[in-house]
Amino acid sequence: MPDTDIELDQSMSKAKLEHPYVESSEPESFYRDVNPTKDEKDVSTRESSNDGPSTKPIIPPRTRKPETRRSTDDLDTKDARHEYRNLKKEYEDTRQELRIAWRENREQSLELRDLKKQNAHLKESIRTQADPKSYKDLIISERRKFYEHVDMLEDHIGHLKHQLEKTKLHMDQLTFQTREANEEKAAYEAKLQSLQKQNARLNEDLTECRDDILRLQPPSQIPDSKIAEEYSSLYQQIASWVDDEAEESQLMETRLAELATDKDAPELLKAYLDPDLIRLTKKYSEAEPLILRYIIQLHVHRVILAGDIYLFGLDEHTITMLGSIEHAMEALEPKRDTLTIQRWRSETLQALAKIDGFQTEQERQATTVSKDLWTALIYLLPELAADGESGWKRLHETVTTPAVQLATNMRFSTSCYRIIAQIPRNSSLGPGHANNNVIYHPDIQRYTILDVATQKVLRQDSVLKVAEDGRIGELVMVVQPLLLRMQRDSHGGIALCKPTVAVKLDEPMAKRAKGVRALGALSSWFGGEQEPVRS
């Protein structure tokens, strides 16, 4: 026999062993339910006689139709394989039908159990109805239970009614309290509005009082002593700078001589130096430092400290606007006095000075002033050109910056200050003293006087040749102008710093001799036997 037939016979034999027709993979209870035993049939018959027929018949056991099969030996290999596949498929279909039948039988068994329970309850009911006494007791018991339940419900209803009354009473109390609270709230809101209005009025009154206090209280005033100190310090620094920078100048006299004819000379020097000053330096070479001090102080005064400069660093538009406001304030009713306008100007300028843009512009203008002055000074002192940028920065820090600070403080003050470059004449000296260029002996007490020839300061005990009218010399230049604080109620002013002037004496100062005889020997200086004047 071929190998294929051998394998087929082995497969079929294995199938018979694994799936014999007489055996089944379903549980034993299934067959017991499907094919009941004799005892089970008797029990079922008794229950059927008592409970009645079942609504669903029990499924009878399934029987397999006998099939005629040919012997495997009579089939060839192809037919055997086909037969095997058919048998396997039929086996699977039969197995599936068996599972379905088992599930249906299980459902019928559960229904039968429920029917049995219902039947037992019905039997109990029938037995109870069959006994009248038991039935009456049952009715009485049920009625008692019913009445007890009704009483309990009535008690519960009464309790709920009582709770409802309490709730209504509580709601009425809450409503009354809410109404009172709303009335109190409305009263408090009205009171709050009244207090808010009163508070607003009080705030307005407080603001007016503060304004009145500010108007009555004078603004922070810079004392005159500080202005005078800064003013004196400025001119001392100018003198110190001249002494340091022009100590060894060799070309200044030549440059001054060429100033009038040199087309490249700075216009600043041409405007400040007149021919008399130039001739003075030819005669007194010691006067060159005084010329430099005169140039610096005059330029600083004209571009920074002049009285017509509203505030150094402000642009023309702002100055025009502030000036227009001041004129408009003078026309207001009631009339604003000068002090009120000066206070307004002081506070306004102090506020403007806090702005970064103003500070930047002020520094820019100060730098321009320093560079212009430095360029003019280099013409007289060519040695300064070697210092380069550091040179004008020293001039800026030493002279220009203090001058700008002084000018700013003077404008911040409510007082009015004036810097006078001319020598004010005292009318008490008489009509013969009207010439501003003449220096008289009493002027030694009023001014600081420098002798151009010797650079010395005239003192009270200096030996001088005094003319009959008191003349001692001629004014050459004002080295440090007079600083006045103007008085509001008069046209006069109070001198805070005496002016410093350079004077060309009519006769040179004599050396002071010791002893009375020496003084007598000098009597010819004062005319005849006149004693020397000591002021």
Side-chain angles (χ1 to χ4, degrees), residues 151-434:
D151 293 339
M152 184 182 66
L153 291 177
E154 288 179 350
D155 293 340
H156 186 63
I157 291 172
H159 176 72
L160 292 177
K161 288 181 178 180
H162 180 68
Q163 292 293 332
L164 179 61
E165 293 296 331
K166 290 177 64 177
T167 303
K168 287 182 178 180
L169 180 61
H170 186 62
M171 287 296 296
D172 292 340
Q173 292 177 354
L174 292 179
T175 303
F176 178 74
Q177 293 177 0
T178 304
R179 188 182 300 111
E180 288 184 344
N182 290 333
E183 292 176 356
E184 291 179 358
K185 179 182 177 182
Y188 283 130
E189 288 178 351
K191 187 176 181 180
L192 177 62
Q193 292 178 357
S194 176
L195 292 175
Q196 288 177 347
K197 293 179 180 179
Q198 184 179 359
N199 188 29
R201 288 194 299 269
L202 292 175
N203 286 332
E204 293 176 358
D205 295 340
L206 179 60
T207 303
E208 292 180 359
C209 291
R210 287 175 178 173
D211 294 340
D212 292 339
I213 292 174
L214 290 176
R215 283 191 292 267
L216 295 174
Q217 182 180 5
S220 58
Q221 176 66 25
I222 299 176
D224 293 340
S225 58
K226 182 177 181 180
I227 299 295
E229 181 181 356
E230 291 182 356
Y231 185 81
S232 300
S233 175
L234 171 63
Y235 286 95
Q236 288 175 6
Q237 288 177 266
I238 292 175
S240 176
W241 185 89
V242 170
D243 293 340
D244 295 338
E245 302 293 339
E247 184 177 1
E248 299 179 356
S249 175
Q250 303 295 332
L251 301 175
M252 182 174 174
E253 182 178 353
T254 304
R255 290 297 178 90
L256 287 174
E258 298 174 354
L259 182 63
T261 59
D262 189 357
K263 295 181 180 181
D264 296 332
E267 295 296 330
L268 184 147
L269 295 179
K270 293 180 180 180
Y272 294 162
L273 296 178
D274 54 24
D276 294 336
L277 291 176
I278 296 174
R279 285 192 297 269
L280 181 67
T281 57
K282 292 180 180 179
K283 185 175 180 180
Y284 303 106
S285 60
E286 296 84 358
E288 291 179 358
L290 294 179
I291 295 294
L292 292 175
R293 290 174 61 180
Y294 172 75
I295 294 171
I296 295 174
Q297 70 86 11
L298 188 59
H299 185 67
V300 168
H301 175 260
R302 290 187 178 182
V303 300
I304 298 177
L305 299 174
D308 58 350
I309 299 177
Y310 199 88
L311 177 63
F312 182 79
L314 283 182
D315 57 277
E316 293 296 332
H317 175 72
T318 305
I319 293 174
T320 303
M321 181 183 65
L322 295 177
S324 301
I325 293 175
E326 288 189 16
H327 291 305
M329 291 177 66
E330 293 176 355
L332 292 176
E333 294 294 339
K335 293 290 184 180
R336 267 64 171 177
D337 56 3
T338 304
L339 179 59
T340 302
I341 297 176
Q342 288 176 346
R343 287 177 177 175
W344 174 85
R345 182 196 304 137
S346 173
E347 293 179 355
T348 303
L349 294 180
Q350 291 183 44
L352 285 174
K354 298 295 184 181
I355 302 175
D356 294 337
F358 168 78
Q359 297 175 2
T360 303
E361 178 64 18
Q362 189 181 60
E363 180 63 22
R364 186 191 67 81
Q365 294 185 18
T367 302
T368 302
V369 171
S370 298
K371 290 182 178 179
D372 293 343
L373 183 58
W374 177 255
T375 303
L377 293 174
I378 286 178
Y379 179 82
L380 298 177
L381 304 172
E383 300 87 355
L384 299 178
D387 295 338
E389 185 177 357
S390 61
W392 73 261
K393 285 187 176 180
R394 286 198 305 272
L395 178 65
H396 181 77
E397 294 175 358
T398 305
V399 178
T400 309
T401 300
V404 172
Q405 183 63 39
L406 172 62
T408 303
N409 289 336
M410 290 171 64
R411 298 302 180 268
F412 285 173
S413 176
T414 56
S415 300
C416 180
Y417 298 96
R418 289 185 61 187
I419 298 175
I420 302 176
Q422 291 79 21
I423 298 298
R425 284 296 148 206
N426 189 352
S427 59
S428 62
L429 295 177
H433 296 169

Side-chain angles (χ1 to χ4, degrees), residues 484-501:
L484 290 178
R485 179 174 63 80
M486 306 307 295
Q487 296 180 349
R488 297 187 180 92
D489 299 333
S490 63
H491 298 288
I494 300 175
L496 300 181
C497 290
K498 295 193 302 183
T500 301
V501 296

Side-chain angles (χ1 to χ4, degrees), residues 122-174:
L122 290 175
K123 285 181 179 181
E124 183 68 23
S125 299
I126 290 172
R127 281 196 300 269
T128 304
Q129 293 177 1
D131 188 358
K133 186 176 180 180
S134 300
Y135 180 70
K136 185 176 180 180
D137 294 338
L138 179 62
I139 292 175
I140 293 172
S141 175
E142 292 296 330
R143 184 178 298 170
R144 186 182 300 109
K145 292 179 180 179
F146 173 76
Y147 286 145
E148 289 177 355
H149 185 66
V150 169
D151 293 339
M152 184 182 66
L153 291 177
E154 288 179 350
D155 293 340
H156 186 63
I157 291 172
H159 176 72
L160 292 177
K161 288 181 178 180
H162 180 68
Q163 292 293 332
L164 179 61
E165 293 296 331
K166 290 177 64 177
T167 303
K168 287 182 178 180
L169 180 61
H170 186 62
M171 287 296 296
D172 292 340
Q173 292 177 354
L174 292 179

